[in-house]
Amino acid sequence: MSFRNYKEKIDEGDTVILYLSNNLHAIEVRPEIKNKKGEMVENVYQTTFGALKVRNLIGSDYGSRVELSKGWGHVLQPTPELWSLTLPHRTQIIYTPDISMILLQLDLVPGCIVVEAGTGSGSLTHALIRRVRPHGHVHTFDFHDHRAKVAQEEFEEHGLAEFVTARHRDVLEDGFGDELNGKADAVFLDLPKPWAGIPHAVTAIKDDGGRFCSFSPCIEQVQRTCLALEQHGFQDISTMEVLQSELKVSRRTVPVRDLSFLKHKESKNPVEEKPSSEKSYVVGAWPASTPGHTGYLTVATLPPSFTRSEKNKTDKIGKFE
Ligand SMILES: C[S@@+](CC[C@H](N)C(=O)[O-])C[C@H]1O[C@@H](n2cnc3c(N)ncnc32)[C@H](O)[C@@H]1O
């Protein structure tokens, strides 16, 4: 339940983030777990700093220091950002630099209805939920039965079920369902063929118009998506890449020349240049290499329906190959 509200104390059933100096771990706070034989045994979590008795977390303060058998760590309240770094990977996931741009570009605010496909590991979904709650809703789809099921269980465990519905569906074949026709403020696609989902996005977006975003690793996917967006009446189509670069803060010692001898250069009594001294500075240095490519974000606006051309309105239910 710890995803839902900020709270002071850790309760049984919470998901907490154990922060160690070299790693982060998401731990479900259960005093006992099943072993391989199906017997309930003491829940002891192993880390590079030794073992943690999970039972001891119950009643501790969030943010407090906890003892491990060979060291210590801190227990933090989970956020979508920390969850993206610790979640069990069932697929490739979207990370915080791209997520922050997606939330901005989709114009999401509390109360929005957002449609997402595919759910994957639910990394983006957690951030979407935080943005649209308490009155908005995320409808997320995946054609992989197990992933859709596990995602819904995770949302329930995290106390987020009332803000999200995870469904098992091939959205390219079957769309997002009649119940979402004209209901969405925004549609997000992280699928191998996002262009094929665009007619369904048009159907789902409100008559007042809305935003669309897709994430694709390859530029060929982007090209087909942009063509399809244009064909279906979208405007303001643009593609961007988000590259995060972290400055490394360090102390550097540099030689400093004493230039005072220049003042006396033309005088009758010139002085000799003094040897350089050294001075230490705190500097922020760019990394030697740039971080790797994740994917391109293609964003677009579907204008209000009364401004859409007749052609686009009829295309709305057509299928783009
Ligand atoms: C890369 S993962 C999404 C990761 C997700 N954005 C995250 O941050 O965790 C892509 C997902 O799309 C699903 N998928 C692919 N084609 C689909 C389709 N036609 N309909 C629904 N889901 C689909 C896959 O099963 C996979 O789980």
Side-chain angles (χ1 to χ4, degrees):
M1 284 292 271
S2 39
F3 277 84
R4 199 188 160 102
N5 305 104
Y6 286 110
K7 40 193 243 181
E8 208 181 322
K9 302 270 182 214
I10 298 172
D11 290 315
E12 184 173 339
D14 282 1
T15 298
V16 300
I17 307 294
L18 176 65
Y19 179 93
L20 305 176
S21 60
N22 60 353
N23 221 335
L24 291 166
H25 304 267
I27 301 177
E28 213 189 310
V29 181
R30 301 271 174 218
E32 293 188 332
I33 48 166
K34 269 193 190 151
N35 67 9
K36 284 180 189 158
K37 293 182 196 157
E39 298 155 349
M40 293 307 283
V41 293
E42 179 81 28
N43 187 3
V44 180
Y45 193 86
Q46 298 295 340
T47 76
T48 45
F49 291 97
L52 168 74
K53 275 198 176 173
V54 176
R55 176 188 300 277
N56 294 348
L57 295 177
I58 299 168
S60 312
D61 285 350
Y62 274 107
S64 63
R65 178 178 149 142
V66 289
E67 297 306 319
L68 308 170
S69 59
K70 292 187 217 153
W72 47 268
H74 285 89
V75 269
L76 307 179
Q77 184 123 14
T79 60
E81 292 76 19
L82 292 171
W83 183 244
S84 292
L85 295 173
T86 50
L87 58 75
H89 279 233
R90 301 179 285 272
T91 59
Q92 294 271 20
I93 66 161
I94 301 184
Y95 288 94
T96 301
D98 286 312
I99 290 176
S100 55
M101 185 57 86
I102 293 165
L103 299 181
L104 176 81
Q105 292 293 340
L106 288 181
D107 272 352
L108 295 179
V109 291
C112 280
I113 304 295
V114 50
V115 171
E116 178 199 28
T119 313
S121 306
S123 171
L124 174 66
T125 323
H126 277 78
L128 293 173
I129 294 168
R130 183 179 61 182
R131 180 58 65 91
V132 302
R133 57 186 283 209
H135 308 302
H137 203 87
V138 181
H139 296 271
T140 185
F141 297 86
D142 206 297
F143 72 177
H144 191 286
D145 190 13
H146 181 68
R147 280 181 208 145
K149 195 164 154 273
V150 174
Q152 184 64 37
E153 281 166 11
E154 242 167 36
F155 301 137
E156 278 161 22
E157 273 163 27
H158 294 171
L160 301 173
E162 73 183 272
F163 311 115
V164 59
T165 308
R167 293 191 187 91
H168 167 227
R169 179 176 304 181
D170 183 335
V171 300
L172 301 186
E173 283 297 320
D174 305 325
F176 301 114
D178 291 348
E179 64 279 19
L180 287 178
N181 285 359
K183 295 276 175 9
D185 294 283
V187 172
F188 174 83
L189 302 180
D190 180 1
L191 302 171
K193 290 185 184 174
W195 57 88
I198 287 166
H200 302 304
V202 174
T203 308
I205 290 176
K206 286 179 173 169
D207 278 351
D208 293 347
R211 291 285 283 169
F212 170 89
C213 178
S214 75
F215 177 92
S216 296
C218 305
I219 202 70
E220 292 78 5
Q221 294 170 300
V222 171
Q223 286 168 330
R224 293 190 73 168
T225 304
C226 288
L227 283 172
L229 285 167
E230 200 179 5
Q231 209 167 351
H232 286 84
F234 282 83
Q235 297 177 359
D236 301 332
I237 302 167
S238 75
T239 296
M240 60 197 76
E241 184 177 17
V242 180
L243 292 176
Q244 188 182 28
S245 193
E246 201 173 308
L247 290 187
K248 198 166 163 37
V249 177
S250 58
R251 188 165 274 281
R252 295 245 174 108
T253 306
V254 293
V256 183
R257 265 180 94 184
D258 181 348
L259 299 175
S260 59
F261 75 97
L262 287 174
K263 277 196 271 176
H264 306 280
K265 213 175 167 191
E266 306 298 330
S267 77
K268 286 179 192 153
N269 303 314
V271 293
E272 291 219 342
E273 182 181 352
K274 289 187 197 152
S276 297
S277 57
E278 289 206 321
K279 199 160 178 195
S280 172
Y281 292 98
V282 174
V283 295
W286 294 99
S289 61
T290 43
H293 167 75
T294 55
Y296 300 105
L297 295 176
T298 297
V299 299
T301 300
L302 187 69
S305 59
F306 66 87
T307 69
R308 294 176 208 161
S309 71
E310 282 310 310
K311 177 182 176 303
N312 289 328
K313 278 187 194 164
T314 52
D315 275 356
K316 198 169 153 171
I317 46 169
K319 203 169 168 194
F320 185 80
E321 294 303 336

